[in-house]
């Protein structure tokens, strides 16, 4: 017992250690309280200034009056398209105009604004900072209704992590924001709902979640809003490119663009129903095809002609292959010696079309694929050509009997497309040398076998 006594601390020393520790803790607590009080006081002071005093940055945000939109002057300002915002613009000051797709307030001092233009979106960040962003600017922005038209000016920055809520992988650090046209607070369609894929909805249902599905009738009733979805923006732009490529290619091949009548006295093509109407007391109908007038142009020594125009057919079938109105891409050309000359043009035309879309419309195709998933088309540099007999033989080898002098039905066409893909690795091919009995009256019979004709169809994924 006595031998351990010298190692025990003295009572007075122990007391001194306890007091020192407690005093340090108390000092730290007091310092923390003072910091909190100081921060609260500073925040209160800022809020008081923002509420009671005029905002020195008031000119950097707000609603643009109508009189300021009446083409008073040309300022020389340049807008940057949202779709062109990329990392190469980091540090640049840009001005963008688009729809306020979403607004998310993080706090009174910070908010995120997603701006959409032509289907592309960018994240805009507002963070209160002296002489740059005020509390009033944040409050104004968070009060914007969805789909309002806005101008945003700021500096492009590149975040450290990928941005999931926008198509562009850069941000705009906002310095100015103006509302050009304010949308109503409640819209009949939310763009996010209208842009949702069926696959996404089905996955949510399997997970026990409920997502809004925008039906076709609702889309058509509010078509202006539906057109704003990224997929629809992409579809119309791809359609435009298809027409442009079609025209450019054929013009380079010596074709002449023509415009044929769409209001005619009688049916222009057999096998299709027509829309009949009264034309000043005379019977008339909408043109089912420009076929007759294209052939008139060839007989009129034009040599090669094409047309991009509307086609009307009074179809009663409710399938995606039967349309009452569509835009036709029609070609007609004289043949020097062999109908393969036409197939040569078709071959090069479609390969050029596929190549150009893959090269020029990557963003549009990606936007379409998010809502309507699809696989890239498989095609050959030199398009595969099969005779009708060869196609029938492929089907026969697969256990499908087809009349060698009859036509292919929808199911056999689809099956043949699968067989061609498996054997030749292409989803695009030409089937020619059809039986004469199933082709139009003006089709030329084959020289070696008049039961067949010098005609062809083109197939994409088993569909002509």
């Amino acid at each position: 017992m006595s031998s351990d006594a010298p190692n025990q601390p003295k009572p007075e020393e122990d007391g001194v250690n306890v007091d020192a520790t407690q005093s340090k803790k108390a000092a730290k607590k007091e310092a923390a309280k003072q910091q909190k009080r100081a921060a609260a006081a500073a925040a209160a002071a800022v809020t008081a200034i923002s509420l009671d005093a005029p905002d020195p940055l008031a000119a950097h945000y707000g609603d643009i009056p109508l009189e300021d939109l009446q083409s008073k002057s040309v300022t020389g300002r340049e807008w940057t398209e949202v779709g062109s915002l990329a990392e190469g613009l980091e540090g640049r000051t840009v001005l963008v105009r688009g729809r306020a797709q979403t607004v998310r307030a993080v706090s009174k001092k910070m908010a995120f604004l997603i701006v959409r233009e032509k289907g592309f979106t960018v994240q805009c960040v507002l963070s209160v900072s002296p002489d740059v962003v005020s509390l009033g600017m944040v409050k104004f922005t968070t009060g914007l209704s969805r789909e309002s038209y806005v101008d945003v000016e700021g500096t492009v920055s590149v975040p450290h992590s990928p941005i999931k809520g926008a198509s562009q992988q850069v941000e705009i650090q906002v310095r100015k924001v103006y509302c050009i046209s304010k949308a109503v607070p409640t819209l009949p369609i939310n763009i996010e709902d209208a842009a949702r894929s069926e696959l996404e909805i089905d996955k949510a249902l399997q997970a026990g979640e409920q997502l809004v599905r925008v039906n076709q009738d609702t889309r058509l009733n509010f078509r202006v809003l539906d057109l704003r979805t990224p997929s629809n923006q992409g579809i119309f732009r791809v359609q435009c490119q298809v027409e442009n490529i079609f025209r450019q290619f054929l013009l380079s091949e010596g074709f002449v663009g023509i415009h044929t009548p769409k209001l005619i006295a009688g049916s222009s093509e057999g096998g299709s129903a027509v829309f009949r109407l009264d034309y000043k007391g005379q019977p008339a109908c909408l043109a089912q095809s420009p076929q007759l007038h294209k052939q008139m142009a060839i007989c009129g020594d034009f040599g090669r002609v094409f047309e991009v125009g509307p086609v009307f057919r009074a179809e009663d079938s409710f399938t995606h292959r039967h349309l009452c109105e569509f835009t036709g891409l029609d070609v007609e050309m004289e043949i020097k010696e062999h109908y393969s000359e036409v197939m040569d043009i078709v071959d090069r035309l479609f390969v050029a079309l596929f190549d150009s879309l893959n090269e020029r419309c990557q963003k549009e195709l990606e936007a379409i694929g998010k809502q309507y998933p699809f696989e890239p088309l498989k095609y050959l540099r030199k398009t595969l050509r099969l005779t009708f007999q060869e196609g029938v033989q492929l089907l026969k080898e697969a256990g499908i009997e087809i009349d060698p002098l009859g036509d292919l039905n929808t199911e056999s066409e689809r099956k043949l497309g699968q067989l061609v893909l498996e054997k030749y690795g292409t989803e695009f091919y030409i089937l020619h040398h059809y039986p004469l009995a199933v082709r139009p009256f003006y089709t030329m019979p084959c020289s070696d076998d008049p039961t067949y004709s010098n005609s062809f169809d083109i197939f994409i994924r088993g569909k002509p």
Side-chain angles (χ1 to χ4, degrees):
M1 296 281 295
S2 61
S3 63
D4 294 335
N7 295 327
Q8 296 293 327
K10 294 181 180 180
E12 59 273 20
E13 291 176 350
D14 186 55
V16 171
N17 291 339
V18 172
D19 291 342
T21 302
Q22 290 178 345
S23 62
K24 287 180 181 180
K25 290 182 178 179
K28 287 182 179 181
K29 288 182 179 180
E30 183 60 29
K33 289 180 180 180
Q34 290 178 356
Q35 289 178 353
K36 288 182 179 180
R37 284 195 293 268
V46 172
T47 302
I49 292 173
S50 66
L51 294 176
D52 300 334
D55 187 349
L57 299 177
H60 292 182
Y61 64 92
D63 296 323
I64 300 297
L66 177 61
E67 54 268 23
D68 290 348
L69 300 173
Q70 294 178 324
S71 302
K72 288 185 175 180
S73 62
V74 178
T75 64
R77 291 180 298 168
E78 293 185 3
W79 279 263
T80 301
E81 289 199 352
V82 170
S84 66
L85 293 174
E87 294 182 3
L89 296 177
E90 185 177 12
R92 291 267 301 275
T93 297
V94 295
L95 173 63
V96 300
R97 174 173 290 183
R99 301 280 180 183
Q101 179 166 294
T102 58
V103 183
R104 181 167 61 90
V106 179
S107 66
K108 291 183 178 179
K109 298 183 179 181
M110 188 175 185
F112 291 96
L113 168 65
I114 301 295
V115 174
R116 188 190 69 253
E117 181 192 26
K118 300 176 182 177
F120 300 103
T121 52
V122 63
Q123 181 167 273
C124 304
V125 183
L126 293 94
S127 183
V128 171
S129 177
D131 303 324
V132 180
V133 176
S134 65
L135 286 171
M137 185 185 296
V138 174
K139 183 178 180 180
F140 167 78
T141 303
T142 56
L144 289 170
S145 53
R146 288 187 173 192
E147 295 302 297
S148 293
Y149 220 39
V150 296
D151 274 355
V152 175
E153 182 178 313
T155 305
V156 177
S157 64
V158 180
H160 297 296
S161 56
I163 301 174
K164 297 181 179 180
S167 65
Q168 308 309 111
Q169 294 305 299
V170 295
E171 293 179 330
I172 295 180
Q173 303 298 323
V174 179
R175 301 180 67 91
K176 297 179 181 179
V177 56
Y178 303 101
C179 182
I180 305 299
S181 179
K182 188 174 294 184
V184 295
T186 304
L187 295 170
I189 296 179
N190 285 329
I191 304 303
E192 293 91 336
D193 295 333
R196 191 171 288 123
S197 69
E198 288 296 319
L199 182 61
E200 186 180 354
I201 294 174
D202 291 340
K203 285 184 177 180
L205 289 174
Q206 293 174 5
E209 301 175 6
Q210 187 72 35
L211 293 179
V212 175
R213 175 185 274 110
V214 181
N215 295 321
Q216 185 75 351
D217 56 345
T218 304
R219 293 180 184 275
L220 294 176
N221 287 338
F222 304 101
R223 185 60 168 161
V224 171
L225 294 177
D226 185 50
L227 286 173
R228 297 178 188 176
T229 62
S231 59
N232 276 330
Q233 291 283 315
I235 288 170
F236 277 81
R237 283 170 169 75
V238 168
Q239 183 185 53
C240 176
Q241 281 301 316
V242 168
E243 181 178 340
N244 287 340
I245 298 163
F246 180 80
R247 289 180 181 277
Q248 292 166 8
F249 176 86
L250 293 176
L251 289 172
S252 71
E253 293 284 343
F255 284 74
V256 178
I258 61 174
H259 298 285
T260 63
K262 304 307 170 193
L263 190 62
I264 58 180
S267 62
S268 53
E269 185 175 280
S272 297
V274 297
F275 287 105
R276 301 191 181 278
L277 52 91
D278 178 84
Y279 179 70
K280 298 183 178 180
Q282 297 293 325
C285 62
L286 298 178
Q288 305 154 288
S289 167
Q291 185 66 40
L292 175 62
H293 296 90
K294 287 188 304 177
Q295 291 172 338
M296 290 173 63
I298 298 303
C299 292
D301 293 342
F302 279 84
R304 296 181 168 191
V305 298
F306 73 90
E307 180 177 19
V308 179
V311 177
F312 304 92
R313 296 182 179 180
E315 302 283 4
D316 291 329
S317 300
F318 294 96
T319 73
H320 66 281
R321 295 180 60 177
H322 295 83
L323 300 175
C324 289
E325 178 183 358
F326 61 89
T327 300
L329 305 180
D330 286 277
V331 177
E332 196 78 20
M333 59 180 279
E334 65 178 7
I335 298 171
K336 298 297 186 183
E337 62 178 10
H338 199 279
Y339 75 100
S340 61
E341 297 166 22
V342 185
M343 290 191 286
D344 291 340
I345 289 289
V346 171
D347 178 355
R348 297 199 304 275
L349 167 62
F350 275 86
V351 171
L353 180 63
F354 300 148
D355 286 348
S356 297
L357 290 179
N358 288 332
E359 179 183 349
R360 302 180 191 178
C361 300
Q362 293 180 0
K363 291 183 178 179
E364 289 80 5
L365 292 172
E366 182 181 350
I368 296 170
K370 287 182 178 179
Q371 184 165 4
Y372 307 106
F374 64 89
E375 293 293 328
L377 182 70
K378 296 179 181 178
Y379 60 98
L380 304 175
R381 305 313 305 169
K382 179 66 176 177
T383 302
L384 173 69
R385 300 179 190 180
L386 295 174
T387 65
F388 188 85
Q389 295 96 318
E390 290 172 330
V392 169
Q393 183 61 31
L394 280 176
L395 290 168
K396 184 177 181 180
E397 292 172 357
I400 302 174
E401 291 296 332
I402 298 293
D403 181 359
L405 296 179
D407 205 353
L408 300 179
N409 58 31
T410 301
E411 186 58 36
S412 58
E413 288 174 343
R414 187 181 297 112
K415 182 61 179 179
L416 181 58
Q418 295 174 357
L419 296 172
V420 168
L421 176 59
E422 293 170 2
K423 184 172 182 178
Y424 299 99
T426 180
E427 295 176 293
F428 174 69
Y429 66 96
I430 297 175
L431 191 66
H432 66 108
H433 214 255
Y434 270 77
L436 184 64
V438 300
R439 306 306 282 184
F441 70 91
Y442 49 76
T443 308
M444 179 71 73
C446 284
S447 59
D448 56 346
D449 188 348
T451 57
Y452 290 93
S453 64
N454 294 340
S455 64
F456 66 91
D457 273 339
I458 54 176
F459 286 82
I460 299 180
R461 290 180 172 166
K463 299 175 184 177

